[in-house]
């Protein structure tokens, strides 16, 4: 009975890590596609030019893919060292940026507006255009942020409530008055329950995976036995 349970646990661990490996492959593929097709897509911050959506997705995908593969190998081979490797908790991804305050983030984004018309920054322009058009906002705090960033009284055309070519240069045009930072904060507040539920599910899956891994690890360590199907 014990042998059957441990053998089942072994393959549950394999399936668990296989799912994470597949997720890592998917994230890596999406990151590479973003990097090739959009360049520096969503590189809003001049302080961290490498902190783009593409680079972040590639890094997360690579870490999850490698640890998922090693976890699969450890489960099948019943290797004690590899058993201790678990796919990283995605909630840790936000920890490096936890030192940013809303005011620091706002100022950094405002500084990044100056890169809008810079060369080889198609990704940033696309990102701002998409956000302003979809969320009906303009600039970080207000459309006047663009005046300072572009050093003239113009805004991107996607800031116009009635969009047409060069409408951002027309002083009589009506621009979206709310800033995009406020819109993002509002969206996060409206969806905090959904985000909290997703985070809780991820945490539970992580804890279950760690529990299964430790049970199998300690049994192999104590008995030195392996269980083949």
């Amino acid at each position: 009975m014990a042998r059957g349970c441990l053998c089942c646990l072994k393959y549950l661990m394999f399936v668990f890590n296989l799912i994470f490996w597949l997720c890592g492959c998917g994230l890596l593929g999406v990151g590479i596609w973003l990097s090739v097709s959009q360049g520096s897509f969503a590189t809003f911050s001049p302080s961290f030019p490498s902190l783009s959506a593409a680079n972040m997705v590639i890094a997360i995908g690579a870490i999850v893919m490698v640890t998922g593969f090693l976890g699969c190998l450890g489960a099948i081979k019943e290797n004690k060292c590899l058993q201790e490797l678990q796919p990283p908790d995605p909630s840790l991804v936000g920890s490096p940026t936890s030192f940013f305050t809303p005011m620091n983030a706002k100022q950094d984004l405002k500084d990044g507006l100056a890169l809008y018309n810079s060369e080889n920054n198609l990704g940033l322009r696309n990102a701002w255009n998409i956000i302003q058009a979809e969320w009906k906002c303009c600039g970080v705090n207000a459309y006047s942020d663009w005046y300072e960033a572009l050093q003239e009284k113009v805004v991107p055309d996607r800031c116009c409530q009635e969009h047409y070519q060069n409408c951002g240069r027309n002083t009589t045009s009506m621009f979206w008055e709310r800033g995009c930072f406020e819109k993002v904060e509002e969206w996060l507040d409206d969806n905090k329950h959904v985000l909290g539920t997703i985070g809780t599910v991820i945490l539970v899956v992580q804890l279950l995976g760690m529990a299964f891994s430790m049970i199998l690890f300690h049994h192999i360590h104590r008995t030195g036995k392996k269980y083949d199907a």
Side-chain angles (χ1 to χ4, degrees):
M1 181 67 178
R3 175 177 177 176
C5 290
L6 287 169
C7 188
C8 180
L9 185 60
K10 167 182 171 177
Y11 286 101
L12 277 175
M13 280 300 304
F14 174 80
V15 172
F16 172 81
N17 284 283
L18 179 62
I19 291 172
F20 272 86
W21 179 78
L22 292 173
C23 290
C25 290
L27 287 172
L28 185 62
V30 170
I32 293 173
W33 173 77
L34 278 176
S35 181
V36 172
S37 63
Q38 296 293 340
S40 301
F41 182 81
T43 307
F44 295 108
S45 171
S47 301
F48 298 92
S50 297
L51 192 64
S52 66
N55 290 343
M56 288 181 65
V57 173
I58 288 173
I60 295 169
I63 293 170
V64 173
M65 185 180 70
V66 170
T67 52
F69 172 77
L70 293 176
C72 287
L73 191 62
I76 291 298
K77 297 295 184 180
E78 298 184 22
N79 183 286
K80 291 186 291 185
C81 293
L82 294 178
Q83 279 293 311
E84 293 182 309
L85 287 174
Q86 284 298 310
D89 189 344
S91 65
L92 297 177
V93 173
S95 58
T97 57
S98 59
F99 59 89
F100 285 113
T101 64
M103 290 305 297
N104 288 340
K106 281 185 179 181
Q107 186 57 49
D108 207 47
L109 288 171
K110 287 180 69 175
D111 293 341
L113 296 180
L115 302 175
Y116 183 82
N117 286 329
S118 60
E119 295 182 3
N120 301 321
N121 234 326
L122 176 62
L124 182 140
R125 286 197 295 275
N126 288 341
W128 272 113
N129 288 338
I130 291 170
I131 289 172
Q132 292 178 142
E134 294 295 326
W135 292 44
K136 298 181 179 179
C137 58
C138 188
V140 179
N141 296 315
Y143 65 83
S144 57
D145 293 338
W146 287 107
Y147 296 168
E148 181 181 353
L150 302 180
Q151 298 182 346
E152 57 179 323
K153 283 198 171 184
V154 298
V155 299
D157 291 345
R158 290 297 180 178
C159 280
C160 302
Q161 295 185 20
E162 295 184 9
H163 175 257
Y164 57 88
Q165 189 172 3
N166 292 326
C167 65
R169 294 184 174 274
N170 189 342
T171 56
T172 62
S173 297
M174 296 293 293
F175 306 135
W176 300 116
E177 295 185 359
R178 297 184 66 185
C180 295
F181 196 89
E182 181 184 352
K183 282 279 192 174
V184 171
E185 288 183 319
E186 186 179 279
W187 182 87
L188 290 173
D189 186 63
D190 291 342
N191 293 276
K192 59 186 177 183
H193 298 300
V194 175
L195 296 174
T197 301
I198 293 173
T200 302
V201 170
I202 292 173
L203 179 61
V204 169
V205 171
Q206 283 288 119
L207 291 175
L208 287 174
M210 291 174 64
F212 291 157
S213 179
M214 291 307 296
I215 291 171
L216 191 58
F217 172 83
H218 283 297
H219 185 81
I220 295 171
H221 180 73
R222 186 174 65 252
T223 65
K225 294 180 180 179
K226 295 185 178 182
Y227 293 92
D228 298 320

